[in-house]
């Protein structure tokens, strides 16, 4: 059964006259009658009762008419949706984000702005580790990724672009001696217990912290590792150590934690956009444009 057979059937069922139905379909009557009989043979049931004056729908015909109209309407809707998606009106974007990216003010602002200008485009927001995002982009399971540069080379055809750079700060248990200082130097952390991201988490914050410690002339005393920013700050609030985190993490305002700027100028964390270099989808390109505009705004 093909879509044209359903269109032929609906025309005859609505007109209840083969001549008028043929005119409506811009075809001759004999081929139309042949197509309807072929449809009846395929279904194994008569759809019409024919006499010398009129054509009537059988019970089988009435049942098919309801479903045929629904099928044709769904096909038309699918066609229009596909055309709208191609024109950039309707669609869906799969956006991957590393957990800590949601703490930046820029990302929620970009999502709000995109939603206002592209209200018919659904955003499928997926929390995902940085390394996993690269693989998902390559497999076309994601359209855009927001991540910290991982300890892995991007797959062929996937590009990383610096998006947002934020200073690092020290999250310190309230009451600790370092909270009396306006800023903290890395050398001040030489003998402190540190809470860090694990190296195997695929998060681009592990090595920057290790490098800052090395430049200050010491090897950090890591007492705990945590993958989630909120859990890490919770460990600080519990007095288990000091964490070095992006300044946007200060929005986690747990009682018992003070945030202090780090003196070193290169103490910063960068978020990257990841996308396919040959991308042509209008929704994805619009999302990238929105993210870039928000990142460059004051």
């Amino acid at each position: 059964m093909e879509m044209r057979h359903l269109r032929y059937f609906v025309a005859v069922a609505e007109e209840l006259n083969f001549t008028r139905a043929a005119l409506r379909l811009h075809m001759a009557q004999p081929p139309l009658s042949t197509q309807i009989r072929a449809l009846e043979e395929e279904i194994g049931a008569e759809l019409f009762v024919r006499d010398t004056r009129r054509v009537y729908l059988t019970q089988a015909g009435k049942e098919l008419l309801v479903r045929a109209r629904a099928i044709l309407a769904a096909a038309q809707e699918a066609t229009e949706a596909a055309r709208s998606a191609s024109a950039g009106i309707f669609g869906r974007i799969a956006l991957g984000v590393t957990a800590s990216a949601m703490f930046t003010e820029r990302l929620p602002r970009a999502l709000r702005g995109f939603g206002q200008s592209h209200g018919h485009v659904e955003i499928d927001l997926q929390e995902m580790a940085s390394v996993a995002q690269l693989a998902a982009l390559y497999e076309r399971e994601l359209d855009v990724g927001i991540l910290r540069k991982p300890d892995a080379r991007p797959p062929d055809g996937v590009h990383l672009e610096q998006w947002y750079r934020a200073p690092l700060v020290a999250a310190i248990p309230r009451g600790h001696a370092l909270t009396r200082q306006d800023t903290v130097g890395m050398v001040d952390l030489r003998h402190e217990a540190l809470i860090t991201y694990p190296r195997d988490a695929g998060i681009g914050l592990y090595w920057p912290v290790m490098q800052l410690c090395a430049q200050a002339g010491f090897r950090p005393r890591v007492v705990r590792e945590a993958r989630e920013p909120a859990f890490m700050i919770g460990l600080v609030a519990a007095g288990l150590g000091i964490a070095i985190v992006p300044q946007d993490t200060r929005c986690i305002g747990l009682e018992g934690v003070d945030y202090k700027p780090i003196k070193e100028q290169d103490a910063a964390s960068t978020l990257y956009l990841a996308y396919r270099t040959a991308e042509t989808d209008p929704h994805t390109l619009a999302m990238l444009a929105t993210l870039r505009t928000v990142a460059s705004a004051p």
Side-chain angles (χ1 to χ4, degrees):
M1 185 185 302
E2 299 179 13
M3 296 294 292
R4 61 188 176 90
H5 294 140
L6 294 180
R7 287 195 294 270
Y8 297 160
F9 165 73
V10 170
V12 176
E14 291 179 347
E15 298 292 342
L16 292 177
N17 183 290
F18 277 83
T19 301
R20 290 196 301 269
L23 289 172
R24 171 175 159 179
L25 294 166
H26 305 289
M27 64 187 298
Q29 180 179 334
L32 175 59
S33 297
T34 300
Q35 292 292 335
I36 294 299
R37 289 195 182 280
L39 179 60
E40 289 177 320
E41 290 177 4
E42 181 177 353
I43 293 174
E46 284 193 347
L47 301 173
F48 299 98
V49 176
R50 304 159 179 87
D51 63 22
T52 56
R53 293 185 178 182
R54 293 193 61 186
V55 175
Y56 301 90
L57 278 168
T58 64
Q59 286 298 322
K62 292 177 181 178
E63 289 295 326
L64 180 60
L65 179 59
V66 174
R67 289 160 176 77
R69 282 171 170 163
I71 291 169
L72 292 173
Q76 181 63 30
E77 182 181 349
T79 300
E80 292 173 356
R83 288 172 179 164
S84 296
S86 178
I89 301 172
F90 293 96
R92 174 181 173 276
I93 291 180
L95 177 63
V97 295
T98 187
S100 58
M102 291 306 299
F103 295 120
T104 69
E105 187 274 335
R106 304 298 172 102
L107 180 54
R109 189 199 307 178
L111 295 178
R112 289 194 302 270
F114 185 85
Q116 291 168 0
S117 59
H118 296 76
H120 297 294
V121 179
E122 175 189 356
I123 301 175
D124 178 14
L125 199 62
Q126 303 179 33
E127 181 185 338
M128 192 178 295
S130 297
V131 172
Q133 287 188 49
L134 296 180
L137 282 162
Y138 181 77
E139 297 295 336
R140 293 187 172 271
E141 296 169 358
L142 286 182
D143 298 306
V144 178
I146 298 177
L147 47 83
R148 299 192 187 278
K149 195 171 185 179
D151 303 327
R153 182 178 179 179
D156 291 340
V158 175
H159 179 68
L160 291 180
E161 173 187 323
Q162 184 171 314
W163 178 56
Y164 175 65
R165 182 176 171 87
L168 291 173
V169 297
I172 307 172
R174 188 160 298 165
H176 190 286
L178 290 177
T179 61
R180 294 193 290 270
Q181 301 180 190
D182 292 333
T183 60
V184 172
M186 289 302 300
V187 69
D188 296 327
L189 305 178
R190 178 186 299 272
H191 302 296
E192 299 295 336
L194 294 186
I195 301 167
T196 68
Y197 288 99
R199 177 179 177 180
D200 64 356
I203 299 171
L205 283 173
Y206 175 84
W207 284 115
V209 171
M210 295 300 107
Q211 186 175 3
L212 286 169
C213 294
Q215 290 173 349
F218 70 96
R219 183 174 181 178
R221 183 166 67 90
V222 177
V223 295
R224 290 292 300 268
E225 294 181 340
R227 296 174 183 269
E228 298 298 327
F231 183 63
M232 180 178 287
I233 300 304
L235 294 175
V236 174
L240 299 181
I242 294 173
I244 299 174
V245 294
Q247 72 170 1
D248 301 287
T249 311
R250 292 183 299 184
C251 68
I252 306 177
L254 286 184
E255 185 71 26
V257 179
D258 287 332
Y259 295 94
K260 296 294 180 179
I262 294 176
K263 293 178 182 178
E264 282 74 4
Q265 292 186 351
D266 57 347
S269 170
T270 303
L271 283 168
Y272 289 80
L273 298 179
Y275 52 90
R276 290 179 289 274
T277 53
E279 187 60 73
T280 59
D281 175 69
H283 307 307
T284 301
L285 296 177
M287 173 61 79
L288 288 169
T290 300
L291 288 165
R292 291 176 181 127
T293 298
V294 168
S296 61

